[in-house]
Amino acid sequence: MDKFVIHGGYHLEGTVSVSGAKNSTLALMPATLLANGVYHLFNTPHLRDVKTMSDLLHTMGVEVSLNDHVLRIDTRGIQKFEAPYELVKKMRASIYVLGPLVGRFGEAKVSLPGGCAWGPRPVNLHIEGIRKLGATVELDAGYIVARAQRLHGARILFDISSVGATGNVLMAAVLAKGTTLIENAAQEPEIVQLAEFLVSMGAKIHGIGTGRLEVEGVDELHPADVTTIPDRIETGTFLIAGALAGKKHGVVRVEQCNPQHVGALLVKLEDAGASISVGDNWIEIVPPEEIRPVNVTTAIYPGFPTDMQAQWIALMTRSTGTSVITDTIYYDRFMHVPELQRLGANITMKDNIATVVGVPKLIGATVMSTDLRASASLILAGLVAEGTTEVLRVYHIDRGYESVEKKLQLLGARIERVEYDEFG
Ligand code: UD1
């Protein structure tokens, strides 16, 4: 297993580039199941989750190879319509194969994802949506088993705006007979990209980027190529690194990003005292003299993303006052809090609300990664903690950040990846 060893207190400055978006790639890959042929996904990040999705498609007979950020997918050999527990338990986004499989082949057997480190994450909206399109869906020995002759259009209203359920139902609806209306659809940039990709494959979708998607089913789709959008969470994580650990009057420049996708974060960073400049595909941040306390409540896009909540708490541990951070999307997503406390952070929890009282310094310690974004917050805290911080189990961060330590080294951070034996 690998850990990160971070020597804190070295200020960051310089330029870093953002990779393709994990959550876009994980939606685009299953969409290729909808038509036979060869696809190229450019700007694909080298991530553990992308490898897991590749393995999953491979078990179905799909050929997948990743070279120099170009993912080539050949779906001509698809012959199996099943997502086994061994892969779904590694990555919940595996559920994305349900919609395309049942939509195109009329059958799918997908393991139920089960729980997650940050509490229950139900898939009821995915199942209800697929049912409304005419599939029979049963639960059998831990698996979702869906069958249909041909799906038909339907009116679907999601009680909660869900990224995954919107993507899944959209992929099922594009080959259905008739028109499907999805109300309260997710509007996240990754769903916009998925919808645009489906259109480039021949799908008919109206209202892309709004909460009301109208899909006119077509009989057949064809393969297409696509360039993955920049990862907005990686973008945000580097910006927070700049705000927290940037050199006095120095600049951290984040390149190959889409500033429009991180609007909420930019406002909050300015509220915290950072100076921000923005271009077409870059953002520069000059850290504040003193980090002002800023409250944050997570919300669906374009609100403040739950995927940035842990990193924001890391920033607030060093603010000059008290801030309140509320996660309205995932109530239990606070596994990073006890670990940040081990570094000396002053945080109290009540339900889904963290109250953070800024402290003058954090002190390095050994801490444990528990999930992807929690790991990012621990690295951020380690960058400013006095002495040495060891972040164990970094396989979590490898799920969603490509070579994070190398990118931080480019900014001047003292961070190294070291192999260790956890049970040794
Ligand atoms: C996606 C992202 C994840 C991000 C999350 C919220 C991917 C691969 N992952 O996850 O990084 O944190 O969006 O922005 O894109 N819900 C239900 N029933 C369902 C589905 C969801 O109640 O069937 C609830 C969830 O518990 C949660 C809310 O809906 O409270 C939003 O979740 P959702 O948007 O579905 O998250 P994911 O697609 O799993």
Side-chain angles (χ1 to χ4, degrees):
M1 225 178 272
D2 289 351
K3 64 182 174 184
F4 284 141
V5 178
I6 306 167
H7 300 289
Y10 293 90
H11 294 298
L12 307 185
E13 192 177 31
T15 300
V16 66
S17 292
V18 171
S19 299
K22 169 180 89 76
N23 288 350
S24 242
T25 307
L26 294 181
L28 296 171
M29 290 176 73
T32 66
L33 296 170
L34 286 164
N36 255 2
V38 178
Y39 300 71
H40 297 94
L41 274 56
F42 301 104
N43 199 30
T44 297
H46 288 256
L47 299 172
R48 248 169 44 101
D49 274 7
V50 172
K51 170 78 172 66
T52 304
M53 186 61 87
S54 303
D55 291 346
L56 175 55
L57 296 184
H58 187 70
T59 62
M60 298 175 185
V62 176
E63 279 178 29
V64 189
S65 57
L66 179 56
N67 285 306
D68 201 17
H69 299 99
V70 180
L71 189 72
R72 181 184 183 278
I73 301 181
D74 181 347
T75 57
R76 286 173 294 188
I78 182 161
Q79 54 188 348
K80 213 168 156 216
F81 313 125
E82 186 176 331
Y85 176 64
E86 295 70 51
L87 291 170
V88 178
K89 75 174 183 203
K90 279 193 190 172
M91 186 187 67
R92 301 177 51 86
S94 308
I95 187 118
Y96 264 141
V97 299
L98 178 66
L101 286 179
V102 75
R104 176 155 173 232
F105 301 103
E107 60 176 289
K109 186 175 172 192
V110 179
S111 172
L112 265 176
C116 143
W118 17 293
R121 291 180 69 185
V123 290
N124 58 309
L125 300 174
H126 302 238
I127 293 174
E128 283 163 24
I130 303 282
R131 273 200 182 122
K132 271 213 136 177
L133 295 173
T136 59
V137 184
E138 285 161 11
L139 298 183
D140 181 19
Y143 278 78
I144 304 165
V145 182
R147 286 197 186 83
Q149 288 293 337
R150 183 178 177 190
L151 297 177
H152 56 69
R155 289 175 75 93
I156 293 165
L157 166 65
F158 287 128
D159 290 336
I160 299 171
S161 172
S162 157
V163 173
T166 302
N168 232 336
V169 169
L170 189 59
M171 288 190 274
V174 285
L175 288 176
K177 192 168 170 49
T179 302
T180 299
L181 211 55
I182 307 175
E183 302 275 11
N184 199 21
Q187 299 173 45
E188 272 67 4
E190 295 77 19
I191 289 297
V192 171
Q193 172 150 63
L194 171 65
E196 286 171 350
F197 180 52
L198 293 169
V199 168
S200 73
M201 291 171 63
K204 292 193 176 155
I205 306 170
H206 309 284
I208 294 174
T210 74
R212 185 173 196 269
L213 293 172
E214 195 179 316
V215 186
E216 281 175 63
V218 295
D219 291 337
E220 213 180 357
L221 297 172
H222 53 78
D225 292 345
V226 60
T227 300
T228 307
I229 57 171
D231 197 300
R232 60 195 167 101
I233 307 303
E234 192 194 8
T235 304
T237 303
F238 288 130
L239 290 173
I240 290 189
L244 185 63
K247 193 175 266 172
K248 200 174 178 190
H249 307 303
V251 175
V252 168
R253 181 181 168 96
V254 183
E255 288 190 340
Q256 289 171 38
C257 62
N258 185 337
Q260 290 183 3
H261 291 169
V262 290
L265 176 68
L266 296 186
V267 172
K268 291 292 181 181
L269 283 169
E270 283 183 333
D271 291 350
S275 302
I276 307 270
S277 320
V278 167
D280 274 0
N281 67 348
W282 57 264
I283 303 168
E284 288 183 350
I285 182 163
V286 177
E289 292 278 333
E290 287 185 329
I291 299 167
R292 293 199 286 261
V294 178
N295 299 344
V296 151
T297 298
T298 65
I300 57 173
Y301 189 83
F304 191 97
T306 172
D307 284 350
M308 289 300 304
Q309 175 259 104
Q311 300 89 315
W312 191 260
I313 289 186
L315 178 66
M316 287 298 108
T317 62
R318 293 297 309 280
S319 84
T320 51
T322 301
S323 55
V324 178
I325 291 97
T326 309
D327 200 322
T328 65
I329 310 289
Y330 290 110
Y331 278 50
D332 300 315
R333 193 182 196 177
F334 289 98
M335 303 284 281
H336 40 286
V337 165
E339 301 299 311
L340 289 169
Q341 285 166 337
R342 303 197 63 249
L343 298 174
N346 181 348
I347 308 170
T348 41
M349 287 302 309
K350 188 166 187 311
D351 304 324
N352 60 331
I353 301 168
T355 303
V356 186
V357 181
V359 291
K361 66 177 179 189
L362 299 175
I363 297 174
T366 300
V367 288
M368 182 76 83
S369 300
T370 49
D371 66 69
L372 172 56
R373 307 304 170 188
S375 318
S377 79
L378 298 177
I379 292 173
L380 290 170
L383 293 174
V384 288
E386 257 180 28
T388 304
T389 297
E390 296 204 351
V391 182
L392 306 183
R393 296 192 183 174
V394 299
Y395 59 85
H396 287 292
I397 200 142
D398 293 334
R399 289 187 50 194
Y401 290 83
E402 180 176 325
S403 308
V404 68
E405 77 280 21
K406 293 196 182 116
K407 293 191 183 189
L408 287 170
Q409 282 162 7
L410 283 177
L411 296 176
R414 305 282 170 102
I415 174 170
E416 277 174 87
R417 182 183 289 264
V418 177
E419 238 182 79
Y420 75 108
D421 178 1
E422 191 163 284
F423 304 104

